Amino acid sequence: MNKKILTKREEEVFSLLVKNKTTKEIAQSLDISEKTVRNHISNAMQKLGVKGRAQAVVELIRLGNITL
């Protein structure tokens, strides 16, 4: 059940997040602002129906969207 929930960019942000990258490091890596990174995380959490980054990561792993 690998249903496409997140945008490609949201998946890129979370793939870096699980590698223990900071918001600043993610922004630099993807050449976007830190605010945009936070927006992507927030949008993804809303889509997943979770309240935090950690819960979002757990849910994305459960859904098979990301791996550690």
Side-chain angles (χ1 to χ4, degrees):
M1 182 179 108
N2 197 358
K3 196 171 110 185
K4 189 76 168 154
I5 295 173
L6 305 183
T7 64
K8 183 178 188 312
R9 187 57 109 183
E10 289 164 352
E11 286 182 353
E12 288 171 338
V13 167
F14 271 92
S15 72
L16 292 169
L17 202 58
V18 299
K19 292 178 179 157
N20 212 22
K21 301 289 182 195
T22 65
T23 302
K24 185 174 186 171
E25 289 169 334
I26 293 169
Q28 290 170 341
S29 175
L30 298 177
D31 199 28
I32 57 179
S33 74
E34 289 181 57
K35 173 130 178 57
T36 302
V37 171
R38 288 191 297 272
N39 287 342
H40 285 311
I41 293 168
S42 178
N43 291 341
M45 290 187 325
Q46 195 169 13
K47 288 177 187 179
L48 294 165
V50 298
K51 292 192 184 332
R53 293 178 181 203
Q55 276 185 305
V57 168
V58 168
E59 187 63 13
L60 288 169
I61 291 167
R62 191 185 69 76
L63 292 170
N65 286 57
I66 58 173
T67 56
L68 293 181

